[in-house]
Amino acid sequence: ENNLKTWEELRIEFATNHFRILSQGGLQNGLILTPSSGRLTQAAVGNSSRWYSDFKRFHLSCYYNSLRVYANRIAHSDDLGDLGKSLQVLLDKSDSQPLSWFSKALLPYQDQIDQIIANKNAAIRQEIKSAFQKHADYAPNFIDGLVSINQDLKVKSAVKEASKERFKAEAFRIYTESVLEQASALAAGKTLPQQSRSGQVVAWLGGGRLPSAANLQALGADLALVKALKRFHSSTKNFLNGYFDLIVDDYLYFRRSNRLWYNPSQGGVRQVEGLEVDLMLLAFLEEGSDLLKCDFKIPKTVARNWSLANHEFLLRNQIFVDEVSDFSPVQLKCLQALSHPAYGAVSAAGDLESRITPWGVNSVDDLQWAIPKPKLAELSVNYRQSRQLVELTDTLSGSNGERYTSSYYDVHGVQTVVAEKCADLYNTAFWLTERIWEIKERCGQLPSVAVVVSSNSQIAPLTEALNKALTHHSLKAVPCRPGQPLGRTNDIRVIAIDQIRGLEFEALFLVNAADLLSRPNFRMLFYLAASRAVSYFGLTFKDTMPVEFDGIAGGLVASDWTQIEVPLETLNI
């Protein structure tokens, strides 16, 4: 129970606590998860793998374009032109390549970049240290004045006398930060905000206690070069941050500029639906998984930034996915990315014919996109249903009786029963009670029974009516709403059809079955209901049975099980 979670739970946990997607605690720097707003087109919902691939290309293009700005800056510097041109050539080859490929391609340049960064940082620090020492030695109030400007630090005179070196070190830190910010601002043609701490320090220092204007310009140019070089230094966090920090912003930009996957003017700017969160999660997890796989094969060359560190924490040795057909390909690929690179152990089980989510996988191709090179095993033995119910579900799935080569439960069973003109709730409850009692009388004890309705709002009234009809039979119906227990063994469960995935009942009744015709996935839902019954399957209709059911179910009209084709005691109940 501690390890079993729904995807909806994992989505919120990942997007809130581990990856910077959703807002936390009222913070304004995250997105807001909302119910479906109609923003996504049917193309996005029904083809999430292509939707994601389109966004991935867009994000990679934005990322490499941002790196071209830095490569151009390096190429136009006086002493680093050759390195810059080499990086430009590499970027031209990287347009469609993932970050893991680019990080490997940068390996031959790492020692050179590392040495340049170290030399320039040393020169910058020496320049600032010389300017600071010049004034600290001859101006008694220089150090005191610097520290006093720092409004966040209240240094008492006793502390000052107790540790002059620490006091001086604090002054040098403030001086260094202010000079660096002033140099960067001058190089960019900007001015520091007057109310900022560095702005106040620079104003207090005046021109006489700062490095010369020419030196500040040179410092700013060197700082810009160091910043550019760090974007190509794969052992620094700047390298990964440049990719992962922009995923959310690039997604919002992608959404604004695309009409294939999104309907216009739907939802707020910061509002996202669950499937959109899945898309961004996969952008984090897929690239992180590739980088972590590289690290398990070669010496670690990529520093752990916040995203990769969280990803590594979330890795699991083994992942099992049940009811796989209700997961989107993107969701499955997220789970694949969470499997430990040393094992890659992801198992999935389910029936592709019983998919009830519009975004769920519906083909082996979808599975192979999400889980590369899977080992597929198809069940060819019917281990659960009577032969007659297998024939019904075969008809619904379009397998024409070829789905199973043999049957473990090889009995013909009983016919499916139908009750028409059950518009009245209590007439429906009375018919259900008769059928349930008929089963109990013939079996000697009541097996597992489910009464399935099309929506949660129908559970309570039908349960109440059914309990009144069951009063004289010492039986009880219990409502099974989402997240609630399924009751005792001899209880009759009243449950919505969307909640019966993964369950099985000896007897199942689908109430007001024609209600499913209004659902876009009617045939799948009917297949789901029929495939959950082991021996007994019953349908009720408010009016006569619609032709849609007549074509599928073969013109069923029997209203009870008085004509039993196989003795019930042989059904292993």
Side-chain angles (χ1 to χ4, degrees):
E1 289 295 330
N2 291 333
N3 293 319
L4 184 65
K5 290 187 178 181
T6 65
W7 174 253
E8 286 72 18
E9 293 173 319
L10 286 178
R11 172 195 288 151
I12 294 175
E13 178 186 342
F14 292 165
T16 304
N17 299 333
H18 300 287
F19 302 99
R20 299 169 182 172
I21 298 176
L22 296 180
S23 177
Q24 301 184 60
L27 297 178
Q28 297 302 308
N29 59 347
L31 305 179
I32 300 171
L33 181 62
T34 60
S36 177
S37 61
R39 186 197 302 274
L40 301 180
T41 64
Q42 288 299 317
V45 175
N47 197 347
S48 62
S49 58
R50 186 181 163 206
W51 175 32
Y52 169 74
S53 298
D54 201 4
F55 167 61
K56 182 180 179 181
R57 284 192 297 270
F58 180 87
H59 175 56
L60 281 171
S61 176
C62 291
Y63 173 69
Y64 288 127
N65 285 338
S66 70
L67 290 185
R68 286 187 175 91
V69 175
Y70 294 106
N72 291 340
R73 182 180 299 170
I74 298 170
H76 286 86
S77 65
D78 294 335
D79 54 345
L80 302 178
D82 290 343
L83 174 61
K85 290 175 183 177
S86 297
L87 294 174
Q88 288 174 327
V89 171
L90 183 60
L91 283 169
D92 289 339
K93 299 177 181 178
S94 306
D95 279 336
S96 60
Q97 300 294 341
L99 183 62
S100 55
W101 181 93
F102 187 61
S103 67
K104 291 180 185 178
L106 284 173
L107 287 177
Y109 304 95
Q110 294 308 292
D111 290 341
Q112 182 183 1
I113 292 173
D114 188 55
Q115 189 61 51
I116 296 171
I117 291 174
N119 292 341
K120 288 193 174 293
N121 281 337
I124 291 169
R125 183 175 179 83
Q126 184 58 44
E127 175 71 23
I128 296 174
K129 185 176 181 180
S130 297
F132 174 83
Q133 198 65 44
K134 175 181 175 182
H135 299 290
D137 290 342
Y138 301 105
N141 68 337
F142 181 71
I143 292 177
D144 293 351
L146 279 171
V147 176
S148 65
I149 293 175
N150 187 358
Q151 300 298 321
D152 298 327
L153 184 65
K154 298 179 180 178
V155 181
K156 298 181 180 179
S157 58
V159 176
K160 171 187 170 183
E161 294 300 327
S163 180
K164 292 182 179 180
E165 286 303 317
R166 185 169 67 83
F167 197 72
K168 183 178 180 180
E170 178 62 23
F172 180 66
R173 185 185 67 80
I174 296 169
Y175 184 81
T176 299
E177 289 179 1
S178 302
V179 170
L180 291 177
E181 289 193 32
Q182 175 69 351
S184 297
L186 287 176
K190 300 177 181 179
T191 57
L192 290 177
Q194 294 182 354
Q195 299 304 315
S196 67
R197 188 182 70 176
S198 293
Q200 294 178 41
V201 171
V202 168
W204 180 80
L205 288 170
R209 291 184 287 191
L210 288 169
S212 66
N215 286 351
L216 283 173
Q217 287 282 1
L219 283 174
D222 282 346
L223 286 170
L225 276 176
V226 169
K227 180 180 179 181
L229 288 164
K230 285 183 176 180
R231 291 298 301 272
F232 297 96
H233 198 313
S234 61
S235 63
T236 64
K237 293 181 180 179
N238 302 66
F239 174 71
L240 289 181
N241 287 349
Y243 182 89
F244 290 109
D245 284 355
L246 293 179
I247 286 176
V248 174
D249 289 341
D250 281 352
Y251 175 75
L252 296 178
Y253 182 33
F254 171 75
R255 190 172 70 178
R256 289 195 301 270
S257 59
N258 192 288
R259 287 294 170 263
L260 173 61
W261 310 115
Y262 306 96
N263 294 313
S265 304
Q266 297 290 334
V269 174
R270 294 178 60 237
Q271 292 180 336
V272 288
E273 299 179 19
L275 295 180
E276 295 181 88
V277 176
D278 298 343
L279 210 71
M280 288 179 275
L281 278 174
L282 184 53
F284 281 102
L285 293 171
E286 184 181 33
E287 198 57 66
S289 178
D290 287 344
L291 290 167
L292 290 172
K293 286 177 184 176
C294 292
D295 279 354
F296 279 98
K297 296 176 182 176
I298 60 176
K300 293 186 177 181
T301 57
V302 179
R304 294 292 188 269
N305 79 324
W306 63 271
S307 177
L308 210 58
N310 281 331
H311 190 160
E312 193 170 28
F313 170 77
L314 292 170
L315 290 178
R316 294 293 180 266
N317 291 345
Q318 189 174 30
I319 295 173
F320 181 80
V321 184
D322 196 16
E323 303 299 347
V324 67
S325 60
D326 280 345
F327 288 76
S328 75
V330 165
Q331 292 165 356
L332 287 178
K333 203 171 184 69
C334 284
L335 294 171
Q336 167 69 25
L338 290 173
S339 63
H340 197 287
Y343 312 113
V346 178
S347 302
D351 183 352
L352 296 184
E353 300 295 340
S354 64
R355 175 175 61 98
I356 61 173
T357 59
W359 53 80
V361 300
N362 58 13
S363 69
V364 173
D365 289 342
D366 283 343
L367 288 175
Q368 291 175 332
W369 181 85
I371 306 174
K373 299 180 180 178
K375 295 180 180 178
L376 300 177
E378 185 175 357
L379 291 179
S380 59
V381 177
N382 166 38
Y383 65 95
R384 182 172 63 198
Q385 289 188 296
S386 67
R387 174 52 58 186
Q388 185 154 337
L389 286 177
V390 168
E391 291 172 358
L392 174 59
T393 54
D394 277 348
T395 301
L396 292 170
S397 67
S399 65
N400 298 319
E402 299 175 355
R403 189 157 51 124
Y404 298 117
T405 58
S406 60
S407 177
Y408 176 77
Y409 190 41
D410 200 10
V411 294
H412 196 58
V414 297
Q415 59 193 348
T416 299
V417 294
V418 176
E420 299 178 306
K421 298 186 181 300
C422 284
D424 182 83
L425 193 62
Y426 291 98
N427 286 343
T428 300
F430 181 75
W431 182 84
L432 290 170
T433 298
E434 286 189 322
R435 302 289 76 72
I436 292 168
W437 188 250
E438 185 180 351
I439 295 170
K440 185 178 186 299
E441 286 286 288
R442 294 184 175 274
C443 296
Q445 61 181 8
L446 188 68
S448 57
V449 178
V451 177
V452 177
V453 293
S454 60
S455 67
N456 290 319
S457 62
Q458 299 174 358
I459 293 176
L462 181 58
T463 303
E464 181 182 356
L466 196 53
N467 275 324
K468 289 182 179 179
L470 291 168
T471 300
H472 301 296
H473 297 286
S474 300
L475 298 175
K476 182 180 66 172
V478 295
C480 297
R481 298 181 180 85
Q484 291 184 340
L486 291 179
R488 297 170 61 86
T489 303
N490 58 346
D491 289 336
I492 296 153
R493 290 85 163 181
V494 183
I495 187 170
I497 193 168
D498 293 325
Q499 305 300 319
I500 63 174
R501 294 299 309 276
L503 304 177
E504 64 178 57
F505 304 91
E506 200 68 30
L508 186 143
F509 298 91
L510 181 58
V511 175
N512 297 335
D515 289 351
L516 299 182
L517 292 172
S518 62
R519 305 271 288 267
N521 52 347
F522 150 69
R523 195 178 183 94
M524 286 185 177
L525 289 172
F526 189 38
Y527 171 87
L528 174 65
S531 64
R532 299 303 96 191
V534 174
S535 300
Y536 305 92
F537 186 47
L539 306 171
T540 76
F541 295 93
K542 294 179 181 178
D543 201 347
T544 57
M545 184 170 64
V547 293
E548 292 86 349
F549 287 87
D550 182 62
I552 293 173
L556 299 174
V557 293
S559 61
D560 59 39
W561 282 299
T562 55
Q563 300 299 321
I564 302 298
E565 299 183 18
V566 176
L568 288 181
E569 56 268 20
T570 68
L571 298 183
N572 300 324
I573 296 174

